[in-house]
Amino acid sequence: DIPSPITLVMGKANKEAIKKAAEITASYSDAKTETVNINILNRKKKITAKKAGKEEIEKFRIAAKND
């Protein structure tokens, strides 16, 4: 197990949202492998997620608005 980033998903998350959050979290982990085991604490289970690519992460990035 590799201690790495923690991700919070707001609201009710369906399986697709959890999978996407896990992929993004895996990308920021220190794991050397392409796939990472992710603990989902509120559901008391683990899933395996493939790291999301940079382009995929950019789709979900929240940027500060420059006025």
Side-chain angles (χ1 to χ4, degrees), residues 1 6-7 9 14 19-20 27-28 31 46 52 62-64 66:
D1 290 352
I6 295 173
T7 301
V9 177
N14 60 25
K19 180 180 179 225
K20 187 60 61 185
S27 297
Y28 286 99
K46 289 185 180 185
I62 299 171
N66 294 327

Side-chain angles (χ1 to χ4, degrees), residues 12-35:
K12 280 197 160 191
N14 60 25
K15 288 182 182 182
E16 184 179 320
I18 290 171
K19 180 180 179 225
K20 187 60 61 185
E23 291 170 349
I24 293 169
T25 302
S27 297
Y28 286 99
S29 78
D30 294 332
K32 304 294 185 214
T33 58
E34 187 63 25
T35 57

Side-chain angles (χ1 to χ4, degrees), residues 3 39 48 65:
N39 292 320
T48 301
K65 184 177 178 183

